[in-house]
C-alpha cells in the first residue's frame, strides 16, 4: 500500500513540472530601479525586465529544441544564464554568470559596482521661443 501512495505522489507532482522550461526568480534588493537583462550561455539575448526596488519577477523561457539548424552548434544552449543588472543611468550595477534554472538571483549578490550614478539633466529644449500672454 505504501508504494501505491508514493507512486501516486510522484505521478501527481510530475503533472505539474515542466522539463522544457527554465525559470529564474529575479529580486531587486537595491535602492535603485534596475533592468535585468538575461542572456543564454552563448550570449543570445533572451529578454529583460525593469524591476522596482524590493520587487521580484519570474523569468521563464522555453528550453525545448527548435527546428533551426546552425552548423557546429547544439540545438539548444541556453543554460547556464547570465543576468546583467543595469542602472537607469546606463551604467552597470552587477552581473551574475553561471545562473542555473530555478535560481533566485539578487542584484546585490552578483559581483559589480553596486551603485548607480544619478541621471544626467536633460539638454536644453530644441526651441527657445517664449510664449507671450
Amino acid at each position: 500500500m505504501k508504494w501505491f501512495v508514493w507512486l501516486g505522489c510522484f505521478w501527481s507532482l510530475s503533472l505539474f513540472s515542466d522539463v522544457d522550461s527554465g525559470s529564474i526568480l529575479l529580486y531587486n534588493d537595491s535602492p535603485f530601479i534596475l533592468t535585468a537583462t538575461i542572456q543564454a550561455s552563448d550570449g543570445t539575448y533572451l529578454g529583460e525586465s525593469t524591476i522596482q526596488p524590493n520587487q521580484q519577477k519570474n523569468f521563464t523561457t522555453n528550453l525545448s529544441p527548435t527546428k533551426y539548424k546552425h552548423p557546429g552548434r547544439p540545438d539548444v544552449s541556453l543554460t547556464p544564464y547570465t543576468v546583467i543588472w543595469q542602472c537607469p543611468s546606463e551604467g552597470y550595477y552587477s552581473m551574475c554568470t553561471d545562473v542555473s534554472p530555478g535560481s533566485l538571483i539578487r542584484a546585490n549578490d552578483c559581483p559589480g559596482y553596486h551603485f548607480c550614478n544619478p541621471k544626467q539633466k536633460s539638454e536644453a529644449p530644441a526651441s527657445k521661443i517664449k510664449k507671450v500672454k
Side-chain angles (χ1 to χ4, degrees), residues 92-113:
Y92 291 100
Y93 188 83
S94 64
M95 181 175 77
C96 278
T97 57
D98 296 329
V99 175
S100 300
S103 298
L104 167 65
I105 303 301
R106 296 179 181 174
N108 283 323
D109 288 347
C110 301
Y113 294 117

Side-chain angles (χ1 to χ4, degrees), residues 1-2 18-20 25 31 34 37 41 45 47-48 53 55 66-67 71-72 79-80 90 93 97 102 114 119 122 133:
M1 181 67 177
K2 287 185 180 181
D18 187 5
V19 296
D20 289 342
L25 186 60
L34 297 177
T37 303
S41 63
Y45 172 84
E48 66 183 25
Q55 298 291 314
T66 61
K67 293 182 181 180
T79 60
E90 299 177 2
Y93 188 83
T97 57
H114 297 169
K119 282 187 174 181
S122 60
K133 291 187 178 181

Side-chain angles (χ1 to χ4, degrees), residues 9 14 21 31 33 42 47 53 55-56 64 72 76 78 80 113 117-118 125 130:
C9 289
S14 66
S21 68
I33 298 171
D42 61 356
Q55 298 291 314
Q56 66 184 21
S64 62
V76 176
L78 297 179
Y113 294 117
N117 292 324
K130 295 181 181 180

Side-chain angles (χ1 to χ4, degrees), residues 23-125:
S23 67
I24 53 176
L25 186 60
L26 303 167
Y27 178 61
N28 182 0
D29 59 346
S30 77
F32 307 103
I33 298 171
L34 297 177
T35 300
T37 303
I38 297 89
Q39 293 180 345
S41 63
D42 61 356
T44 304
Y45 172 84
L46 297 177
E48 66 183 25
S49 291
T50 299
I51 305 172
Q52 299 292 322
N54 294 319
Q55 298 291 314
Q56 66 184 21
K57 261 194 185 167
N58 190 23
F59 176 81
T60 304
T61 187
N62 188 355
L63 295 177
S64 62
T66 61
K67 293 182 181 180
Y68 175 73
K69 300 291 182 192
H70 193 331
R73 293 195 178 181
D75 290 340
V76 176
S77 60
L78 297 179
T79 60
Y81 302 117
T82 298
V83 178
I84 302 168
W85 295 93
Q86 294 178 304
C87 298
S89 59
E90 299 177 2
Y92 291 100
Y93 188 83
S94 64
M95 181 175 77
C96 278
T97 57
D98 296 329
V99 175
S100 300
S103 298
L104 167 65
I105 303 301
R106 296 179 181 174
N108 283 323
D109 288 347
C110 301
Y113 294 117
H114 297 169
F115 182 76
C116 290
N117 292 324
K119 282 187 174 181
Q120 298 293 330
K121 292 186 177 184
S122 60
E123 296 177 10

